[in-house]
PDB file of all heavy atoms in Angstrom:
ATOM      1  N   VAL A 243     121.966 164.356  66.710  1.00  0.00           N
ATOM      2  CA  VAL A 243     121.891 162.992  67.224  1.00  0.00           C
ATOM      3  C   VAL A 243     120.463 162.504  67.018  1.00  0.00           C
ATOM      4  O   VAL A 243     119.520 163.045  67.586  1.00  0.00           O
ATOM      5  CB  VAL A 243     122.276 162.942  68.716  1.00  0.00           C
ATOM      6  CG1 VAL A 243     122.165 161.506  69.233  1.00  0.00           C
ATOM      7  CG2 VAL A 243     123.697 163.466  68.913  1.00  0.00           C
ATOM      8  N   THR A 244     120.315 161.500  66.174  1.00  0.00           N
ATOM      9  CA  THR A 244     118.992 160.989  65.820  1.00  0.00           C
ATOM     10  C   THR A 244     118.917 159.505  66.147  1.00  0.00           C
ATOM     11  O   THR A 244     119.826 158.932  66.762  1.00  0.00           O
ATOM     12  CB  THR A 244     118.704 161.204  64.329  1.00  0.00           C
ATOM     13  OG1 THR A 244     119.524 160.304  63.558  1.00  0.00           O
ATOM     14  CG2 THR A 244     118.996 162.643  63.921  1.00  0.00           C
ATOM     15  N   GLU A 245     117.824 158.867  65.688  1.00  0.00           N
ATOM     16  CA  GLU A 245     117.645 157.439  65.931  1.00  0.00           C
ATOM     17  C   GLU A 245     118.605 156.588  65.109  1.00  0.00           C
ATOM     18  O   GLU A 245     118.753 155.390  65.363  1.00  0.00           O
ATOM     19  CB  GLU A 245     116.194 157.035  65.634  1.00  0.00           C
ATOM     20  CG  GLU A 245     115.817 156.974  64.160  1.00  0.00           C
ATOM     21  CD  GLU A 245     115.628 158.363  63.529  1.00  0.00           C
ATOM     22  OE1 GLU A 245     115.664 159.367  64.275  1.00  0.00           O
ATOM     23  OE2 GLU A 245     115.430 158.425  62.298  1.00  0.00           O
ATOM     24  N   ARG A 246     119.279 157.185  64.134  1.00  0.00           N
ATOM     25  CA  ARG A 246     120.238 156.420  63.332  1.00  0.00           C
ATOM     26  C   ARG A 246     121.493 156.130  64.157  1.00  0.00           C
ATOM     27  O   ARG A 246     122.035 157.006  64.809  1.00  0.00           O
ATOM     28  CB  ARG A 246     120.613 157.191  62.079  1.00  0.00           C
ATOM     29  CG  ARG A 246     119.471 157.360  61.083  1.00  0.00           C
ATOM     30  CD  ARG A 246     119.961 158.042  59.826  1.00  0.00           C
ATOM     31  NE  ARG A 246     118.944 158.111  58.789  1.00  0.00           N
ATOM     32  CZ  ARG A 246     118.153 159.153  58.583  1.00  0.00           C
ATOM     33  NH1 ARG A 246     118.260 160.239  59.360  1.00  0.00           N
ATOM     34  NH2 ARG A 246     117.257 159.137  57.612  1.00  0.00           N
ATOM     35  N   LEU A 247     121.978 154.920  64.093  1.00  0.00           N
ATOM     36  CA  LEU A 247     123.112 154.477  64.903  1.00  0.00           C
ATOM     37  C   LEU A 247     124.421 155.099  64.432  1.00  0.00           C
ATOM     38  O   LEU A 247     124.786 155.005  63.259  1.00  0.00           O
ATOM     39  CB  LEU A 247     123.245 152.952  64.852  1.00  0.00           C
ATOM     40  CG  LEU A 247     124.440 152.373  65.626  1.00  0.00           C
ATOM     41  CD1 LEU A 247     124.215 152.497  67.123  1.00  0.00           C
ATOM     42  CD2 LEU A 247     124.696 150.923  65.233  1.00  0.00           C
ATOM     43  N   THR A 248     125.125 155.748  65.355  1.00  0.00           N
ATOM     44  CA  THR A 248     126.517 156.144  65.183  1.00  0.00           C
ATOM     45  C   THR A 248     127.270 155.558  66.367  1.00  0.00           C
ATOM     46  O   THR A 248     126.863 155.762  67.520  1.00  0.00           O
ATOM     47  CB  THR A 248     126.678 157.670  65.164  1.00  0.00           C
ATOM     48  OG1 THR A 248     126.032 158.211  64.013  1.00  0.00           O
ATOM     49  CG2 THR A 248     128.151 158.071  65.134  1.00  0.00           C
ATOM     50  N   LEU A 249     128.355 154.821  66.106  1.00  0.00           N
ATOM     51  CA  LEU A 249     129.044 154.131  67.194  1.00  0.00           C
ATOM     52  C   LEU A 249     130.515 153.927  66.843  1.00  0.00           C
ATOM     53  O   LEU A 249     130.842 153.392  65.785  1.00  0.00           O
ATOM     54  CB  LEU A 249     128.379 152.767  67.443  1.00  0.00           C
ATOM     55  CG  LEU A 249     128.567 152.142  68.815  1.00  0.00           C
ATOM     56  CD1 LEU A 249     127.904 152.975  69.905  1.00  0.00           C
ATOM     57  CD2 LEU A 249     128.011 150.719  68.835  1.00  0.00           C
ATOM     58  N   TRP A 284     126.461 152.820  56.834  1.00  0.00           N
ATOM     59  CA  TRP A 284     125.304 151.981  56.549  1.00  0.00           C
ATOM     60  C   TRP A 284     124.176 152.865  56.031  1.00  0.00           C
ATOM     61  O   TRP A 284     124.043 154.012  56.418  1.00  0.00           O
ATOM     62  CB  TRP A 284     124.867 151.199  57.787  1.00  0.00           C
ATOM     63  CG  TRP A 284     124.432 152.061  58.941  1.00  0.00           C
ATOM     64  CD1 TRP A 284     125.219 152.627  59.886  1.00  0.00           C
ATOM     65  CD2 TRP A 284     123.092 152.455  59.252  1.00  0.00           C
ATOM     66  NE1 TRP A 284     124.474 153.363  60.770  1.00  0.00           N
ATOM     67  CE2 TRP A 284     123.160 153.274  60.410  1.00  0.00           C
ATOM     68  CE3 TRP A 284     121.836 152.200  58.667  1.00  0.00           C
ATOM     69  CZ2 TRP A 284     122.025 153.833  60.994  1.00  0.00           C
ATOM     70  CZ3 TRP A 284     120.712 152.762  59.246  1.00  0.00           C
ATOM     71  CH2 TRP A 284     120.807 153.564  60.404  1.00  0.00           C
ATOM     72  N   ASP A 289     120.452 146.960  58.221  1.00  0.00           N
ATOM     73  CA  ASP A 289     120.469 146.718  59.659  1.00  0.00           C
ATOM     74  C   ASP A 289     121.801 147.205  60.236  1.00  0.00           C
ATOM     75  O   ASP A 289     122.841 146.570  60.012  1.00  0.00           O
ATOM     76  CB  ASP A 289     120.289 145.231  59.942  1.00  0.00           C
ATOM     77  CG  ASP A 289     120.205 144.918  61.431  1.00  0.00           C
ATOM     78  OD1 ASP A 289     120.466 145.825  62.255  1.00  0.00           O
ATOM     79  OD2 ASP A 289     119.914 143.765  61.769  1.00  0.00           O
ATOM     80  N   PRO A 290     121.814 148.333  60.970  1.00  0.00           N
ATOM     81  CA  PRO A 290     123.085 148.844  61.504  1.00  0.00           C
ATOM     82  C   PRO A 290     123.672 147.931  62.570  1.00  0.00           C
ATOM     83  O   PRO A 290     124.891 147.930  62.785  1.00  0.00           O
ATOM     84  CB  PRO A 290     122.696 150.193  62.097  1.00  0.00           C
ATOM     85  CG  PRO A 290     121.244 150.065  62.435  1.00  0.00           C
ATOM     86  CD  PRO A 290     120.674 149.175  61.370  1.00  0.00           C
ATOM     87  N   TYR A 291     122.828 147.146  63.230  1.00  0.00           N
ATOM     88  CA  TYR A 291     123.339 146.274  64.287  1.00  0.00           C
ATOM     89  C   TYR A 291     124.082 145.084  63.695  1.00  0.00           C
ATOM     90  O   TYR A 291     125.079 144.627  64.263  1.00  0.00           O
ATOM     91  CB  TYR A 291     122.186 145.823  65.187  1.00  0.00           C
ATOM     92  CG  TYR A 291     121.393 147.006  65.677  1.00  0.00           C
ATOM     93  CD1 TYR A 291     120.065 147.188  65.288  1.00  0.00           C
ATOM     94  CD2 TYR A 291     121.986 147.981  66.470  1.00  0.00           C
ATOM     95  CE1 TYR A 291     119.347 148.298  65.706  1.00  0.00           C
ATOM     96  CE2 TYR A 291     121.272 149.098  66.888  1.00  0.00           C
ATOM     97  CZ  TYR A 291     119.957 149.248  66.492  1.00  0.00           C
ATOM     98  OH  TYR A 291     119.261 150.364  66.904  1.00  0.00           O
ATOM     99  N   ILE A 306     130.245 150.586  77.319  1.00  0.00           N
ATOM    100  CA  ILE A 306     129.427 151.370  76.393  1.00  0.00           C
ATOM    101  C   ILE A 306     129.118 152.727  77.016  1.00  0.00           C
ATOM    102  O   ILE A 306     128.953 152.845  78.238  1.00  0.00           O
ATOM    103  CB  ILE A 306     128.128 150.622  76.011  1.00  0.00           C
ATOM    104  CG1 ILE A 306     127.384 151.355  74.897  1.00  0.00           C
ATOM    105  CG2 ILE A 306     127.241 150.390  77.224  1.00  0.00           C
ATOM    106  CD1 ILE A 306     126.296 150.520  74.231  1.00  0.00           C
ATOM    107  N   ASN A 309     125.538 157.508  77.745  1.00  0.00           N
ATOM    108  CA  ASN A 309     124.434 158.173  77.059  1.00  0.00           C
ATOM    109  C   ASN A 309     124.025 157.462  75.769  1.00  0.00           C
ATOM    110  O   ASN A 309     123.306 158.034  74.954  1.00  0.00           O
ATOM    111  CB  ASN A 309     124.793 159.636  76.762  1.00  0.00           C
ATOM    112  CG  ASN A 309     126.060 159.753  75.937  1.00  0.00           C
ATOM    113  OD1 ASN A 309     126.933 158.898  76.020  1.00  0.00           O
ATOM    114  ND2 ASN A 309     126.181 160.811  75.158  1.00  0.00           N
ATOM    115  N   ALA A 310     124.464 156.207  75.581  1.00  0.00           N
ATOM    116  CA  ALA A 310     123.990 155.438  74.425  1.00  0.00           C
ATOM    117  C   ALA A 310     122.488 155.215  74.542  1.00  0.00           C
ATOM    118  O   ALA A 310     121.963 155.002  75.636  1.00  0.00           O
ATOM    119  CB  ALA A 310     124.717 154.097  74.348  1.00  0.00           C
ATOM    120  N   TRP A 311     121.796 155.281  73.421  1.00  0.00           N
ATOM    121  CA  TRP A 311     120.337 155.089  73.437  1.00  0.00           C
ATOM    122  C   TRP A 311     120.008 153.633  73.782  1.00  0.00           C
ATOM    123  O   TRP A 311     120.674 152.691  73.311  1.00  0.00           O
ATOM    124  CB  TRP A 311     119.734 155.437  72.086  1.00  0.00           C
ATOM    125  CG  TRP A 311     119.668 156.904  71.804  1.00  0.00           C
ATOM    126  CD1 TRP A 311     120.442 157.888  72.366  1.00  0.00           C
ATOM    127  CD2 TRP A 311     118.791 157.552  70.885  1.00  0.00           C
ATOM    128  NE1 TRP A 311     120.088 159.105  71.857  1.00  0.00           N
ATOM    129  CE2 TRP A 311     119.087 158.942  70.948  1.00  0.00           C
ATOM    130  CE3 TRP A 311     117.795 157.111  70.025  1.00  0.00           C
ATOM    131  CZ2 TRP A 311     118.403 159.884  70.174  1.00  0.00           C
ATOM    132  CZ3 TRP A 311     117.118 158.033  69.250  1.00  0.00           C
ATOM    133  CH2 TRP A 311     117.420 159.409  69.323  1.00  0.00           C
ATOM    134  N   ALA A 312     118.969 153.442  74.584  1.00  0.00           N
ATOM    135  CA  ALA A 312     118.537 152.097  74.951  1.00  0.00           C
ATOM    136  C   ALA A 312     118.217 151.271  73.714  1.00  0.00           C
ATOM    137  O   ALA A 312     118.519 150.073  73.651  1.00  0.00           O
ATOM    138  CB  ALA A 312     117.327 152.162  75.877  1.00  0.00           C
ATOM    139  N   MET A 313     117.590 151.886  72.697  1.00  0.00           N
ATOM    140  CA  MET A 313     117.215 151.126  71.501  1.00  0.00           C
ATOM    141  C   MET A 313     118.437 150.556  70.791  1.00  0.00           C
ATOM    142  O   MET A 313     118.371 149.468  70.209  1.00  0.00           O
ATOM    143  CB  MET A 313     116.398 152.001  70.539  1.00  0.00           C
ATOM    144  CG  MET A 313     117.139 153.188  69.954  1.00  0.00           C
ATOM    145  SD  MET A 313     116.123 154.154  68.792  1.00  0.00           S
ATOM    146  CE  MET A 313     116.094 153.058  67.364  1.00  0.00           C
ATOM    147  N   HIS A 314     119.577 151.282  70.868  1.00  0.00           N
ATOM    148  CA  HIS A 314     120.784 150.776  70.217  1.00  0.00           C
ATOM    149  C   HIS A 314     121.416 149.649  71.029  1.00  0.00           C
ATOM    150  O   HIS A 314     121.865 148.639  70.468  1.00  0.00           O
ATOM    151  CB  HIS A 314     121.776 151.916  70.011  1.00  0.00           C
ATOM    152  CG  HIS A 314     121.283 152.988  69.090  1.00  0.00           C
ATOM    153  ND1 HIS A 314     120.561 152.700  67.957  1.00  0.00           N
ATOM    154  CD2 HIS A 314     121.407 154.342  69.130  1.00  0.00           C
ATOM    155  CE1 HIS A 314     120.256 153.833  67.327  1.00  0.00           C
ATOM    156  NE2 HIS A 314     120.750 154.834  68.027  1.00  0.00           N
ATOM    157  N   LEU A 315     121.465 149.809  72.350  1.00  0.00           N
ATOM    158  CA  LEU A 315     122.005 148.736  73.184  1.00  0.00           C
ATOM    159  C   LEU A 315     121.150 147.478  73.045  1.00  0.00           C
ATOM    160  O   LEU A 315     121.681 146.365  72.887  1.00  0.00           O
ATOM    161  CB  LEU A 315     122.062 149.191  74.647  1.00  0.00           C
ATOM    162  CG  LEU A 315     122.513 148.144  75.660  1.00  0.00           C
ATOM    163  CD1 LEU A 315     123.882 147.584  75.309  1.00  0.00           C
ATOM    164  CD2 LEU A 315     122.518 148.733  77.064  1.00  0.00           C
ATOM    165  N   LEU A 316     119.825 147.637  73.057  1.00  0.00           N
ATOM    166  CA  LEU A 316     118.944 146.478  72.918  1.00  0.00           C
ATOM    167  C   LEU A 316     119.077 145.842  71.535  1.00  0.00           C
ATOM    168  O   LEU A 316     118.997 144.620  71.391  1.00  0.00           O
ATOM    169  CB  LEU A 316     117.498 146.902  73.174  1.00  0.00           C
ATOM    170  CG  LEU A 316     117.195 147.322  74.625  1.00  0.00           C
ATOM    171  CD1 LEU A 316     115.812 147.959  74.712  1.00  0.00           C
ATOM    172  CD2 LEU A 316     117.310 146.146  75.569  1.00  0.00           C
ATOM    173  N   GLY A 317     119.307 146.685  70.515  1.00  0.00           N
ATOM    174  CA  GLY A 317     119.515 146.148  69.175  1.00  0.00           C
ATOM    175  C   GLY A 317     120.770 145.296  69.091  1.00  0.00           C
ATOM    176  O   GLY A 317     120.774 144.232  68.454  1.00  0.00           O
ATOM    177  N   LEU A 318     121.844 145.745  69.748  1.00  0.00           N
ATOM    178  CA  LEU A 318     123.077 144.958  69.771  1.00  0.00           C
ATOM    179  C   LEU A 318     122.882 143.658  70.547  1.00  0.00           C
ATOM    180  O   LEU A 318     123.350 142.593  70.125  1.00  0.00           O
ATOM    181  CB  LEU A 318     124.211 145.780  70.384  1.00  0.00           C
ATOM    182  CG  LEU A 318     124.729 146.947  69.546  1.00  0.00           C
ATOM    183  CD1 LEU A 318     125.690 147.803  70.366  1.00  0.00           C
ATOM    184  CD2 LEU A 318     125.433 146.436  68.287  1.00  0.00           C
ATOM    185  N   GLN A 319     122.188 143.740  71.677  1.00  0.00           N
ATOM    186  CA  GLN A 319     121.946 142.536  72.469  1.00  0.00           C
ATOM    187  C   GLN A 319     121.096 141.534  71.702  1.00  0.00           C
ATOM    188  O   GLN A 319     121.316 140.318  71.796  1.00  0.00           O
ATOM    189  CB  GLN A 319     121.259 142.902  73.783  1.00  0.00           C
ATOM    190  CG  GLN A 319     122.174 143.618  74.764  1.00  0.00           C
ATOM    191  CD  GLN A 319     121.454 144.014  76.038  1.00  0.00           C
ATOM    192  OE1 GLN A 319     120.327 144.504  75.995  1.00  0.00           O
ATOM    193  NE2 GLN A 319     122.087 143.802  77.178  1.00  0.00           N
ATOM    194  N   ARG A 320     120.143 142.031  70.950  1.00  0.00           N
ATOM    195  CA  ARG A 320     119.283 141.135  70.167  1.00  0.00           C
ATOM    196  C   ARG A 320     120.093 140.443  69.059  1.00  0.00           C
ATOM    197  O   ARG A 320     119.896 139.261  68.772  1.00  0.00           O
ATOM    198  CB  ARG A 320     118.135 141.939  69.565  1.00  0.00           C
ATOM    199  CG  ARG A 320     117.101 141.109  68.823  1.00  0.00           C
ATOM    200  CD  ARG A 320     115.889 141.954  68.443  1.00  0.00           C
ATOM    201  NE  ARG A 320     116.254 143.109  67.611  1.00  0.00           N
ATOM    202  CZ  ARG A 320     116.207 144.366  68.035  1.00  0.00           C
ATOM    203  NH1 ARG A 320     115.828 144.649  69.265  1.00  0.00           N
ATOM    204  NH2 ARG A 320     116.537 145.354  67.216  1.00  0.00           N
ATOM    205  N   THR A 321     121.021 141.186  68.456  1.00  0.00           N
ATOM    206  CA  THR A 321     121.827 140.631  67.366  1.00  0.00           C
ATOM    207  C   THR A 321     122.916 139.699  67.890  1.00  0.00           C
ATOM    208  O   THR A 321     123.228 138.676  67.260  1.00  0.00           O
ATOM    209  CB  THR A 321     122.459 141.778  66.557  1.00  0.00           C
ATOM    210  OG1 THR A 321     121.423 142.658  66.105  1.00  0.00           O
ATOM    211  CG2 THR A 321     123.224 141.250  65.359  1.00  0.00           C
TER     212      THR A 321
END
Side-chain angles (χ1 to χ4, degrees):
V243 179
T244 71
E245 74 285 353
R246 293 184 174 95
L247 178 71
T248 294
L249 203 65
W284 62 275
D289 184 350
Y291 308 114
I306 188 166
N309 57 331
W311 286 23
M313 64 179 286
H314 296 321
L315 176 57
L316 293 170
L318 290 171
Q319 289 178 317
R320 185 171 58 250
T321 305

